[in-house]
Amino acid sequence: YRYYFPCQRWLAVEEDDGQIVRELVPVDEAFVKKDSENDGQSLATLGLEQKAKSTTYTVKVKTGDKKNAGTDANVFITLYGSKDDTGIVSLKASKINKNKFERGKVDEFTVESVDIGNLKKIKIGHDNKGNSTGWFLEWVEIDAPSLGQCLRFPCGRWLDKSEDDGAIERIIFPAELQTTEYIPFVPYEITVYTSDIFGAGTDADVFIVLYGSDGVCTRQKSLCLNKREQRMYFERNSVNQFIVELEDVGDIIEKIRIGHKGGGLNSGWHLDRVAIRRLLPNGK
């Protein structure tokens, strides 16, 4: 029996979510065959299939405010859940600081993996390579929108061969009193059709808000992750698909708010229509 694992995503620090390792789940062979007969547009949907089956975590890491607390070593993390673990994930692309793990600073990373269940513990450490390798880790905070939980993992210790107990990796458990609960997010498949008229495309930052009944609405969410995607998507006569995790507004979407933040050349946009599908947790 042959298994197919499409990816259609970047493994690059400066692209997509910054991950350089991806977990892939198999898809039906017929899906791949059907796809190879079609154009590249439908190939991209395979990448979205994978994304819809994945869970996204926002990982914040606070380096302590002590002398020599920062590190130049390569930092990695593993998330352990009730069903599975993520495997070792390199924390390469901080969303906040170019120079990561500096004294007193918080860095933010995106970690995507197949569903590992409820978060139980993490293992975090570094490879001790570089000039100043010792690291004082204050805490790690993990926001898991699909679980509706934000958990704090306090550390307050050195990961340094010449400090504390000499360990350069630690297993940390969440502090129960510092867990924030909220309504879990669900994935939405958002398809955006740009019109076929002169100058219809835009390079601006396009965002969306969904409104359900009883006044529930999602936060405002940008559809592109970076400037390069903004330049690539929303071209004249194009169809662009996104999988976006947002607050669950229920079975009925009463209206949407879509727009862009203007600025730059070619920001004007002629939007034809938008199609939205609320995906169930199993990717249906």
Side-chain angles (χ1 to χ4, degrees), residues 216-278:
V216 274
C217 73
T218 68
R219 65 187 62 188
Q220 182 171 303
K221 176 79 174 172
S222 288
L223 293 176
C224 292
L225 291 163
N226 53 38
K227 286 266 195 301
R228 194 190 66 84
E229 287 192 1
Q230 284 171 219
R231 288 194 298 273
M232 226 173 73
Y233 297 136
F234 314 119
E235 298 293 300
R236 173 180 176 171
N237 196 28
S238 67
V239 181
N240 301 118
Q241 242 184 358
F242 305 89
I243 299 285
V244 182
E245 279 186 294
L246 288 169
E247 292 90 341
D248 189 351
V249 297
D251 291 334
I252 296 163
I253 300 174
E254 295 212 329
K255 64 174 183 180
I256 66 170
R257 192 163 160 265
I258 188 164
H260 62 74
K261 296 173 184 174
L265 297 165
N266 314 324
S267 68
W269 183 34
H270 200 285
L271 170 63
D272 182 45
R273 65 190 193 277
V274 179
I276 298 178
R277 205 158 61 100
R278 175 171 171 255

Side-chain angles (χ1 to χ4, degrees), residues 115-126:
D115 179 20
I116 60 169
N118 291 324
L119 271 172
K120 296 294 186 192
K121 62 180 181 182
I122 61 170
K123 179 156 73 178
I124 188 164
H126 61 78

Side-chain angles (χ1 to χ4, degrees), residues 57 60 77-82 116-124 138-144 147 149-155 170-181:
Y57 304 93
K60 288 185 176 167
I77 192 168
T78 304
L79 279 52
Y80 295 88
S82 50
I116 60 169
N118 291 324
L119 271 172
K120 296 294 186 192
K121 62 180 181 182
I122 61 170
K123 179 156 73 178
I124 188 164
E138 197 69 62
W139 48 256
V140 176
E141 188 178 274
I142 299 180
D143 192 8
L147 299 173
Q149 275 190 338
C150 186
L151 299 108
R152 175 70 68 95
F153 296 78
C155 179
R170 298 197 180 280
I171 287 176
I172 319 174
F173 295 88
E176 272 181 40
L177 295 174
Q178 290 177 293
T179 299
T180 315
E181 307 259 349

Side-chain angles (χ1 to χ4, degrees), residues 28-262:
D28 197 296
E29 180 180 359
F31 196 68
V32 178
K33 286 276 197 292
K34 178 187 85 194
D35 220 80
S36 56
E37 292 158 16
N38 296 343
D39 54 273
Q41 179 63 47
S42 59
L43 254 183
T45 62
L46 282 170
L48 290 171
E49 272 285 299
Q50 290 286 2
K51 195 165 182 177
K53 288 178 179 168
S54 299
T55 304
T56 308
Y57 304 93
T58 299
V59 177
K60 288 185 176 167
V61 180
K62 169 78 189 285
T63 299
D65 194 4
K66 290 177 180 285
K67 191 173 180 232
N68 301 326
T71 186
D72 296 331
N74 296 303
V75 174
F76 57 83
I77 192 168
T78 304
L79 279 52
Y80 295 88
S82 50
K83 298 182 192 167
D84 202 351
D85 66 70
T86 59
I88 294 171
V89 178
S90 294
L91 298 181
K92 291 274 191 198
S94 173
K95 298 250 182 308
I96 303 173
N97 308 305
K98 199 163 179 62
N99 211 352
K100 27 184 211 302
F101 310 120
E102 295 288 295
R103 173 179 177 171
K105 292 273 170 44
V106 175
D107 289 287
E108 186 180 306
F109 304 88
T110 301
V111 171
E112 200 180 88
S113 81
V114 297
D115 179 20
I116 60 169
N118 291 324
L119 271 172
K120 296 294 186 192
K121 62 180 181 182
I122 61 170
K123 179 156 73 178
I124 188 164
H126 61 78
D127 62 1
N128 211 41
K129 293 199 170 115
N131 297 328
S132 47
T133 56
W135 184 36
F136 191 88
L137 171 62
E138 197 69 62
W139 48 256
V140 176
E141 188 178 274
I142 299 180
D143 192 8
S146 63
L147 299 173
Q149 275 190 338
C150 186
L151 299 108
R152 175 70 68 95
F153 296 78
C155 179
R157 294 180 71 177
W158 286 97
L159 282 77
D160 187 336
K161 290 209 158 162
S162 55
E163 297 276 356
D164 200 337
D165 59 1
I168 55 169
E169 61 175 49
R170 298 197 180 280
I171 287 176
I172 319 174
F173 295 88
E176 272 181 40
L177 295 174
Q178 290 177 293
T179 299
T180 315
E181 307 259 349
Y182 55 91
I183 292 168
F185 281 29
V186 295
Y188 288 90
E189 177 191 87
I190 298 173
T191 311
V192 180
Y193 299 80
T194 299
S195 307
D196 186 14
I197 62 169
F198 179 74
T202 184
D203 290 341
D205 183 3
V206 172
F207 61 80
I208 196 164
V209 182
L210 313 185
Y211 294 83
S213 49
D214 303 328
V216 274
C217 73
T218 68
R219 65 187 62 188
Q220 182 171 303
K221 176 79 174 172
S222 288
L223 293 176
C224 292
L225 291 163
N226 53 38
K227 286 266 195 301
R228 194 190 66 84
E229 287 192 1
Q230 284 171 219
R231 288 194 298 273
M232 226 173 73
Y233 297 136
F234 314 119
E235 298 293 300
R236 173 180 176 171
N237 196 28
S238 67
V239 181
N240 301 118
Q241 242 184 358
F242 305 89
I243 299 285
V244 182
E245 279 186 294
L246 288 169
E247 292 90 341
D248 189 351
V249 297
D251 291 334
I252 296 163
I253 300 174
E254 295 212 329
K255 64 174 183 180
I256 66 170
R257 192 163 160 265
I258 188 164
H260 62 74
K261 296 173 184 174

